[in-house]
Every structure is written in structure tokens, then in C-alpha cells.
Amino acid sequence: MAHSALVLVEIGALILGIGLLSRLASRLEISPIPLILLGGLAFGEGGFFPFTQGEEFIEIGAEIGVILLLLMLGLEYTARELVSSLNGSKAAGLIDMALNAVPGALLALLLGWGPVAAVAMAGITWVSSSGVVAKVLQDLGRLTNRETPVVLSILVIEDLAMAFYLPVLTALLVGTGLLAGTVSVVVALASVALILYVALRHSRIVSRLVWSKEADVLLLSVFGLTLLVAGLAEGANVSAAVGAFLVGIAISGPAAKHAQRVLTPLRDLFAAVFFLFVGLSTDPGELLSMLVPAILLAIVTMGTKLLTGYIAARRAGIGEAGRWRAGFALMSRGEFSIVIAALAVAAGVDRSLAALATAYVLITMVAGPLLARIPDSGRFIQTTRRIEAKRRAGSATAG
């Protein structure tokens, strides 16, 4: 069979498999993310039926999936809402960094990997997966919940922090001087500032640029602009996800409303490809040696993320149930953690770090969406209502 035919057959089989797994997840009333990840493991490196064709399509499709997930989140909010949310979440961002970066750094030092590996592990455990969190919020119907802007503000702060972190980490890994590292950070921050300025000050112009009553024209315009900005952001050492999110923020009014409608099927397709790619690119055999420390690290840092979301939502005046929903939604790590691990190992850090990071990410990716459903259970809702009622009664008595 010709190479092109094999590529089409394998890609078609994988996408059909994603569809079947998503149908199964729907019947089980769970998120499809864990099943897609496990399916990717079965067909990826070291799996039962290794995927050998179309790797480039899947890899690029995975990048597009994250970009579309963040674009769609951005379309839900205006620039004013973003600024207000970020201004109110500065303290939450610092708490997030302290609670979640420290455990990873400490584990690297305990394993004897050295200070540079500790900096890398700090990033791996610090940053939540924007793609997974966005998908969880979508699957659970929480995009319009009161706590969702708090969750998004933490994700954006983390992604913006990566504009500092990644250039610094790269400089440490390759041993470049202070000047080169400083230049990288300045370029990254200037790029973020430029995109944010356009989103805040010229959203009407951006909306007019992409707006069309024709669905196909609107789709091509928004999708093309998003990929362009995401690519430029990535080239400036800024997360492509940040660029995509800010494009969504910059589009408002009828353009945003109709863009959501025409882009939804495209987002669902490529988001599934992203989760499949994570599983496909993982060799199950390499995970076993670091499985125990990965499980322990996952337990600790999923707990710290739960605390982070709870504290951030409480500071924003969200009720008891919303605080727990925010915390549970943030547990999954993903794309940034994998990228950081790859950079570290490529620069000569102990290869065990990659195995640990991969096992850790997979555990949080599988467990996170499942645990995120806990606040929706009847018993949990009753418990949070009782806590809220006691708090109000206490406040009334004190008053």
C-alpha cells in the first residue's frame, strides 16, 4: 500500500477511535480525556499497536488543538473583564507559584539532579494545562460560572509567567550569559505587551477585520489570524496559547458570538488530537521506573492546586461550591510540563526527569478531569450548602 494511503488509513482509524471513545465516555458520563489518553498509550511508542504514519499531522494538530481551546476561552470574555480579573488575582498568582513550584524543585534536589533540574521541575509542577482545563470547563458546562474567570485569570498569569520563566530556564540549561537571558526575557515581555495593547485598545478594529456574515469567511479569518498571532508569540518565546487567548479577547460583539459557533466543531476535533498526541508520544515502559515518585508528586501537587483555586476563588468573593470547583478544575498539568521536560533532557539533565514528568503529567491529566466532577455530586453540593449556611449564620451573629 502506498505511503499516502497508509497515512490516511492510520489517521482515519485514530480519529474514528477517538469518536468511539468519546461515545463511551458520554455513556459513562465522564470526560473523554482520560480514555483518549489511555488510547494514545495503547497505540503510541511501546504500545500494543504502534502508530507509524502521520506523526507530523498529529503533532501539528495537537498544537492547533491547544490554540483553539484557548481562543474559544478568550471569545467568552471581554478585554475589560480580563484586566479586572488579572488585577484581582495578582496575590493568587503568587500563592499559586509558591504552593506548586516548590514541591517539584524539592523532589529534584532530593533525587540528586541538581539546581538546574530543580528549576525545571518547579515549572513542571507549577503550571496547569490550559488545554485540559479549558476542555474540562467546556465538558462540565462551567464556562459561564462565577468562578470561571478566577480559573482563567490563574491560567493566564501562569502563561504570562512563562514569558519570564522559559527564557531564563533556557539560559540556565545552555549556560548562556546574563545579557543573552535578559534580552530573551525583554523580547518576550514586549511581545506580550504589544498583543495585550492591541486586544485592549483596538478590539473594534480586530473585530471588523474578521467579521463577515458568511460562515466560511468568518472561520477562515478568525482561524488564520489566531494561528498568525500564536506563531509570532511562539517565535518571541511567548506561549502560543497566550497569543490565541488574547486574540479571542480582542474579538467582541457579533464577531465573537458567531465565531464561537463556526469554530466549535474545529476545536473539538483538534482538542481530541492534542490529548491523543500526549498518549501517542509516551512510552509506557519508560514510566515504570519513576511511577512511585510521580504518584506521590501528583497527590501533593493536585492538593496544592486545589488549595490554590479555593483561596483564589475565596478572595474573589465566590461561594463555597465555586471555590471547590475552581480548585478541582486546576489540577491537570500538560503541554508546558512536557515542553519543559524535553528542554531539560535535551540540554543534558538526567533522562529520568523526562520519565518522571511524563508519568506525572499523565496521572494528573487522567485524574484531574475525573476529580473535577466531584463538586457536582449531590452529597458534595449538600455539604457545601451546609458550610455556606453556617458561615452566613456566623457572620449574622457576629454582626
Side-chain angles (χ1 to χ4, degrees):
M1 188 179 291
H3 174 70
S4 59
L6 285 173
V7 171
L8 292 175
V9 167
E10 288 203 2
I11 292 175
L14 287 172
I15 293 176
L16 175 61
I18 291 173
L20 296 175
L21 290 173
S22 298
R23 178 181 296 180
L24 175 61
S26 179
R27 290 186 177 180
L28 296 174
E29 296 185 348
I30 63 173
S31 170
I33 294 172
L35 296 183
I36 294 173
L37 283 169
L38 295 174
L41 282 174
F43 288 89
E45 300 178 15
F48 298 112
F49 308 101
F51 175 72
T52 58
Q53 309 294 330
E55 296 94 339
E56 186 174 356
F57 169 82
I58 296 295
E59 184 174 355
I60 294 174
E63 294 183 23
I64 292 174
V66 175
I67 288 169
L68 285 172
L69 282 167
L70 271 295
L71 167 67
M72 295 292 279
L73 277 180
L75 290 171
E76 292 281 347
Y77 299 94
T78 66
R80 288 184 180 180
E81 289 172 337
L82 172 66
V83 171
S84 175
S85 182
L86 288 176
N87 286 337
S89 300
K90 294 176 182 177
L94 294 174
I95 293 170
D96 178 35
M97 179 180 66
L99 288 176
N100 296 287
V102 171
L106 289 177
L107 180 60
L109 294 174
L110 288 173
L111 292 172
W113 291 344
V116 174
V119 174
M121 281 300 301
I124 288 169
T125 57
W126 173 13
V127 184
S128 297
S129 170
S130 300
V132 177
V133 174
K135 181 64 173 173
V136 167
L137 294 175
Q138 172 204 337
D139 289 344
L140 299 180
R142 297 179 184 171
L143 291 179
T144 57
N145 282 18
R146 285 192 63 220
E147 76 276 359
T148 296
V150 176
V151 173
L152 295 182
S153 66
I154 291 175
L155 293 177
V156 172
I157 287 172
E158 288 178 348
D159 284 349
L160 292 176
M162 289 296 101
F164 287 98
Y165 172 84
L166 288 176
V168 171
L169 176 64
T170 302
L172 290 173
L173 290 171
V174 301
T176 57
L178 178 63
L179 178 61
T182 302
V183 170
S184 297
V185 172
V186 170
V187 170
L189 291 178
S191 301
V192 171
L194 176 62
I195 299 172
L196 188 57
Y197 172 78
V198 172
L200 292 173
R201 299 293 184 183
H202 303 290
S203 61
R204 290 185 180 180
I205 297 175
V206 177
S207 298
R208 290 173 187 167
L209 174 66
V210 301
W211 167 243
S212 173
K213 292 182 179 180
E214 301 295 330
D216 55 342
V217 176
L218 179 63
L219 170 65
L220 293 171
S221 300
V222 175
F223 188 44
L225 176 64
T226 304
L227 292 180
L228 174 63
V229 174
L232 291 173
E234 188 84 11
N237 290 325
V238 181
S239 164
V242 171
F245 182 80
L246 293 178
V247 169
I249 291 292
I251 299 173
S252 59
K257 181 178 179 181
H258 291 287
Q260 287 177 299
R261 177 174 53 83
V262 299
L263 285 167
T264 294
L266 200 63
R267 175 203 60 193
D268 292 343
L269 169 62
F270 284 104
V273 171
F274 163 66
F275 298 116
L276 179 68
F277 171 73
V278 174
L280 288 173
S281 57
T282 302
D283 185 348
E286 294 182 357
L287 308 183
L288 296 177
S289 62
M290 300 304 296
L291 190 57
V292 172
I295 291 173
L296 294 175
L297 186 62
I299 292 171
V300 171
T301 56
M302 284 193 293
T304 54
K305 276 293 180 182
L306 177 61
L307 183 59
T308 297
Y310 186 94
I311 293 173
R314 184 182 64 186
R315 292 176 61 88
I318 307 298
E320 187 70 21
R323 298 173 190 178
W324 289 103
R325 285 195 297 266
F328 277 106
L330 288 166
M331 287 181 171
S332 299
R333 274 60 162 196
E335 56 274 13
F336 266 131
S337 301
I338 297 295
V339 169
I340 292 167
L343 287 172
V345 172
V349 173
D350 194 311
R351 290 190 60 84
S352 297
L353 185 146
L356 173 61
T358 303
Y360 169 75
V361 166
L362 284 172
I363 292 167
T364 61
M365 271 191 162
V366 171
L370 296 175
L371 294 173
R373 302 181 68 88
I374 291 177
D376 295 332
S377 66
R379 183 172 297 178
F380 200 95
I381 291 172
Q382 291 176 1
T383 302
T384 56
R385 284 177 178 172
R386 284 196 297 268
I387 294 172
E388 192 74 31
K390 289 180 181 178
R391 182 179 294 117
R392 290 175 180 173
S395 299
T397 301

